[in-house]
Amino acid sequence: MATLGTLLFTWAKGKLVGTDAEGNRYYTERSEAKGRRTKRWVIYNGKVDASRVAPEWHAWLHYTADKPLTDVARQPWQQPHQPNKTGSAGAYLPPGHDLAGGKRDRATGDYEAWQP
């Protein structure tokens, strides 16, 4: 959830640019800034986590693109955006990890230690 200060600034000076598939809302300042770039920010729908920003909005937030890339057609090889799950219950745990049972396959003997 956004802080009270962010919500007040958004209410007073923000203009909604759009939303993404997760429900995150993207804003910019209503008036043009003098001597600096116009601010851009996101208000997350739920937990604040920067990895939840979709790639088409990331470029806009970081001033790489002048407008969001939401109108660009997705290529067949592109997968839908997924947030980073590190530290959550959905995180990847390799075989042998303590939280994944702690057991792994025995070494097969194909490994040779380096000898100087």
Side-chain angles (χ1 to χ4, degrees), residues 61-100:
L61 270 176
H62 292 274
Y63 303 94
T64 304
D66 293 332
K67 60 182 181 165
L69 303 174
T70 54
D71 298 337
V72 177
R74 295 187 71 82
Q75 299 295 324
W77 48 265
Q78 288 178 306
Q79 296 181 354
H81 175 68
Q82 295 180 348
N84 186 347
K85 296 181 180 175
T86 302
S88 72
Y92 170 73
L93 300 174
H97 191 282
D98 287 339
L99 296 176

Side-chain angles (χ1 to χ4, degrees), residues 30-88:
R30 283 188 199 132
S31 59
E32 183 127 352
K34 306 272 192 280
R36 63 175 174 80
R37 294 191 291 196
T38 305
K39 290 183 182 182
R40 298 174 179 176
W41 67 97
V42 59
I43 297 196
Y44 296 97
N45 180 23
K47 183 181 174 191
V48 175
D49 181 7
S51 73
R52 291 180 56 214
V53 173
E56 54 269 11
W57 285 99
H58 184 272
W60 177 80
L61 270 176
H62 292 274
Y63 303 94
T64 304
D66 293 332
K67 60 182 181 165
L69 303 174
T70 54
D71 298 337
V72 177
R74 295 187 71 82
Q75 299 295 324
W77 48 265
Q78 288 178 306
Q79 296 181 354
H81 175 68
Q82 295 180 348
N84 186 347
K85 296 181 180 175
T86 302
S88 72

Side-chain angles (χ1 to χ4, degrees), residues 1-53:
M1 185 65 193
T3 64
L4 180 61
T6 302
L7 292 174
L8 288 173
F9 183 82
T10 301
W11 176 77
K13 298 190 179 216
K15 178 177 89 173
L16 181 66
V17 176
T19 59
D20 64 12
E22 279 197 44
N24 299 327
R25 297 182 318 251
Y26 298 88
Y27 292 90
T28 187
E29 286 182 286
R30 283 188 199 132
S31 59
E32 183 127 352
K34 306 272 192 280
R36 63 175 174 80
R37 294 191 291 196
T38 305
K39 290 183 182 182
R40 298 174 179 176
W41 67 97
V42 59
I43 297 196
Y44 296 97
N45 180 23
K47 183 181 174 191
V48 175
D49 181 7
S51 73
R52 291 180 56 214
V53 173

